[in-house]
Amino acid sequence: MTTEHKELLIEIGCEEMPASWLPGITRQLASALGSRLEEARIISRAPVVPFSTPRRLGVSVMELAGRQTDLQETVTGPPVSAAFDSDGQPKPAALGFASKQGVTVDRLVRLTTPKGEYLACKRSQRGRTTRSVLGGVFAATLRDLAFPKQMQWDARLEDGRGRFVFGRPIRWLLFLYDGRVVPFSIQRTATAMSTGVKTVRSGGVTYGHRFFSRQGTAGQKLQVKSFADYRKQLAGAYVLIEHEERRDRVAKKLESCARKVGGSVAKMSTGSSLLAEVPDLIEYPSVVTGEFPEEFLSLPDEVLSTTMIHHQHYFPIVDRKGHLKPNFLAVTNTPRDNVARIAKNCERVLVARLRDARFFWDADRSCKLDDRFDRLDTLLFHKKLGSYKKKSMRVAQLAERIAKDVLFVSDAATSAYRAGKLSKCDLASDMVGEFPE
C-alpha cells in the first residue's frame, strides 16, 4: 500500500536567545529531529530544514510519511535440542517460548546460527500513524538539544523524565502535520511558584514582531495552515525566519546607506564576523546612519574599529582611500520607527565610548613602557612560572644570549635585552585592559 507524505511544521517560540547560540542550536534541532524520525521509522522524502530568529526555533519537512514503516523482527528462542524430545514432541521450553510470543509451536521456525540451531519467531508489527508518534519524537528531540547554559523554568514533559530545562523559557508551540495540530504540551512542575509559568500547549498559531505590525496590534496571533502560509504571514508581520534572508537584507542596506554618505562599509576581518552575527540579533533588520565628531579620527583605526564593532556592533564606513570616515551604520530591529531619534541615541552611546578610548590612549602615551615594567609583577603568567615580569626577564636574558652566542652580533645584545624586557609591558597599559580584542 502506498504511504502518503505530508508536511510537518514545528516552531518553538521562546524568550530571546543570544545570537551566538543560534547557529549551533539551529543545526542541532535539525539533526536531532532527523535522527529521532529515523529511529521512529518515519521516512522523509525531503530534508529537515531548520530556521531560527532570536525568538523562535523551527523546522519544516515537506514530505513526511503518514505512517511508520512496518516492523519486521525475528525473536530467537531456545536451542532446538532443548525444545523437542527424541520423538519430535515440543518440550516445556518450546511451549513456553511459543506462548510468550503469542503463537503456536507450529508457527515457530528454525534458525541456524554459528552456535547451532535455534527456534525463532518471526513477527510483523504494523506501523502506527505518524500523528500518534510525533509527540514522543518531539519530546525526545527537545531533550536532545544542548545549550551553552540551560534555564530552570518550572517546566516538565510527560515523557517519564520529569523536569524540563531549555535555553530560554518557551512561550508557544506551533506544531502542525498535514495542516492539523499535533497534540503536545509542556506542563508546570508541582513545585512551580511563579504565576508567569503556564502550561504551553501546541497550536496552529504563531506571533509576529514584538513591537511592529502592518495591520492591527504588534505581536498579534497569526493562524497558519502550512509552511508557505507561515512564512508569508510572518514576513507580513515583520519577521524574516531565515538567517540568510536577514543577512542579505542587512548587507544591501549597509551598502546603500554607506553610499549616501560617500563611502563604503569597512572591509575588515572583524567586520565579516559581525555581518554573520548581527542577523541573529534581530527579526526584521533596518539600518540607521550615525556620525561622530571628526576629532576622534586622531585615534588609531584599530581603536575606532574595536569600539564600533566589538563594543557596539556598529559598522565603520571608509572613504575611497580606505580611511575611516566620521560615520557609522547601526542595524536595528525597529522598522518604521523614528530613525533620527535612534541614530541620535546610537551616536550618544558611541561618543561616550570614544571619549573613554581617547582618555586611555592619552594616558598610555603619557607613560613610558619602562615605567610599566614593575606593574608586570602584578600579572600572573603561570602559577609555577611566576609573573609576567619574571617571564620578561627570562625572555630578555635569552634574547641577549642568542644575539651574542648564536648570531654573533654583540653590538645588538643590549638592544635585544631591552626589547625582551619591554616585550610584555603593553599588558600593563590601560588600552589593553579596555580593548583586549
Side-chain angles (χ1 to χ4, degrees):
M1 183 175 65
T2 304
T3 301
E4 292 186 345
H5 290 69
K6 304 295 184 179
E7 179 186 86
L8 172 68
L9 173 60
I10 300 175
E11 179 195 61
I12 306 167
C14 55
E15 296 296 331
E16 291 193 8
M17 291 192 184
S20 59
W21 293 10
L22 283 184
I25 204 65
T26 304
R27 291 191 295 269
Q28 273 192 60
L29 180 58
S31 176
L33 181 62
S35 297
R36 290 297 181 175
L37 288 172
E38 183 178 351
E39 181 182 306
R41 311 192 316 276
I42 302 175
I43 296 175
S44 169
R45 295 197 305 205
V48 178
V49 179
F51 53 87
S52 62
T53 77
R55 295 180 62 211
R56 64 198 80 219
L57 300 170
V59 287
S60 69
V61 184
M62 300 309 294
E63 294 187 72
L64 192 65
R67 182 178 290 275
Q68 292 176 300
T69 57
D70 294 341
L71 178 62
Q72 305 288 342
E73 63 177 346
T74 300
V75 181
T76 304
V80 171
S81 59
F84 299 96
D85 59 21
S86 57
D87 296 328
Q89 296 300 313
K91 291 183 178 180
L95 294 171
F97 176 65
S99 176
K100 185 178 180 180
Q101 302 305 317
V103 298
T104 58
V105 174
D106 61 333
R107 296 289 302 276
L108 300 177
V109 298
R110 299 192 180 199
L111 184 67
T112 302
T113 72
K115 295 182 179 181
E117 194 174 28
Y118 284 76
L119 282 184
C121 178
K122 292 187 176 182
R123 297 191 306 181
S124 176
Q125 180 182 338
R126 180 164 172 72
R128 297 164 57 193
T129 63
T130 294
R131 183 177 300 280
S132 66
V133 177
L134 279 176
V137 169
F138 185 47
T141 300
L142 290 176
R143 295 284 190 188
D144 290 340
L145 300 180
F147 294 85
K149 292 183 180 180
Q150 308 225 72
M151 288 187 67
Q152 301 276 359
W153 52 293
D154 294 331
R156 66 181 176 86
L157 294 179
E158 294 182 328
D159 60 352
R161 295 175 58 182
R163 186 178 292 273
F164 171 58
V165 296
F166 205 68
R168 288 291 185 270
I170 294 175
R171 297 308 186 199
W172 75 87
L173 286 173
L174 171 66
F175 197 175
L176 298 178
Y177 179 68
D178 191 20
R180 295 167 55 200
V181 175
V182 178
F184 190 85
S185 65
I186 301 175
Q187 306 286 336
R188 295 188 59 171
T189 60
T191 57
M193 300 295 292
S194 172
T195 58
V197 179
K198 299 180 180 179
T199 298
V200 181
R201 302 186 189 280
S202 59
V205 299
T206 185
Y207 296 83
H209 195 287
R210 179 171 286 176
F211 306 115
F212 296 91
S213 175
R214 297 184 192 276
Q215 297 178 349
T217 59
Q220 62 184 326
K221 291 182 178 181
L222 303 172
Q223 191 78 35
V224 298
K225 299 178 181 178
S226 64
F227 178 68
D229 182 42
Y230 166 82
R231 182 173 181 175
K232 180 180 179 180
Q233 289 210 52
L234 280 180
Y238 291 113
V239 177
L240 302 179
I241 62 172
E242 294 181 1
H243 172 92
E244 292 75 13
E245 187 177 6
R246 297 193 300 273
R247 183 192 60 201
D248 292 345
R249 179 180 170 86
V250 168
K252 290 178 182 178
K253 284 190 168 293
L254 286 174
E255 290 299 335
S256 174
C257 291
R259 284 196 297 269
K260 291 179 181 179
V261 293
S264 60
V265 180
K267 304 297 183 183
M268 302 180 185
S269 58
T270 48
S272 60
S273 63
L274 182 61
L275 183 58
E277 180 184 2
V278 162
D280 287 331
L281 291 169
I282 38 87
E283 290 196 311
Y284 194 88
S286 295
V287 175
V288 298
T289 307
E291 60 182 3
F292 57 87
E294 291 191 20
E295 62 189 84
F296 291 112
L297 292 177
S298 61
L299 292 170
D301 286 357
E302 294 80 3
V303 175
L304 290 171
S305 298
T306 299
T307 302
M308 285 187 270
I309 294 173
H310 290 283
H311 292 186
Q312 299 304 129
H313 289 88
Y314 296 164
F315 290 83
I317 299 177
V318 296
D319 59 22
R320 292 182 178 179
K321 296 182 178 180
H323 301 145
L324 286 174
K325 293 176 64 66
N327 301 97
F328 65 89
L329 301 171
V331 180
T332 72
N333 194 33
T334 52
R336 294 174 51 192
D337 203 5
N338 191 330
V339 175
R341 179 177 295 179
I342 293 174
K344 198 68 177 178
N345 288 333
C346 291
E347 291 169 1
R348 289 172 57 193
V349 175
L350 179 61
V351 168
R353 283 281 194 177
L354 292 177
R355 284 175 181 155
D356 290 341
R358 184 170 60 185
F359 171 82
F360 292 124
W361 174 250
D362 291 341
D364 284 344
R365 293 181 67 195
S366 66
C367 181
K368 296 181 179 179
L369 284 179
D370 298 86
D371 298 333
R372 299 186 186 279
F373 181 70
D374 289 335
R375 285 184 61 186
L376 292 178
D377 212 20
T378 65
L379 301 177
L380 180 65
F381 169 61
H382 191 280
K383 62 181 180 180
K384 294 184 179 180
L385 298 176
S387 66
Y388 271 97
K389 181 177 180 179
K390 292 182 179 179
K391 175 182 173 67
S392 297
M393 289 304 301
R394 292 194 295 269
V395 171
Q397 293 165 4
L398 185 60
E400 182 181 35
R401 290 183 60 184
I402 291 175
K404 287 182 178 179
D405 303 335
V406 178
L407 302 178
F408 305 107
V409 283
S410 299
D411 295 343
T414 301
S415 297
Y417 179 88
R418 176 173 167 76
K421 179 182 176 181
L422 301 180
S423 61
K424 301 298 179 181
C425 286
D426 63 304
L427 297 179
S429 67
D430 292 331
M431 286 300 296
V432 169
E434 183 70 12
F435 298 92
E437 300 88 354

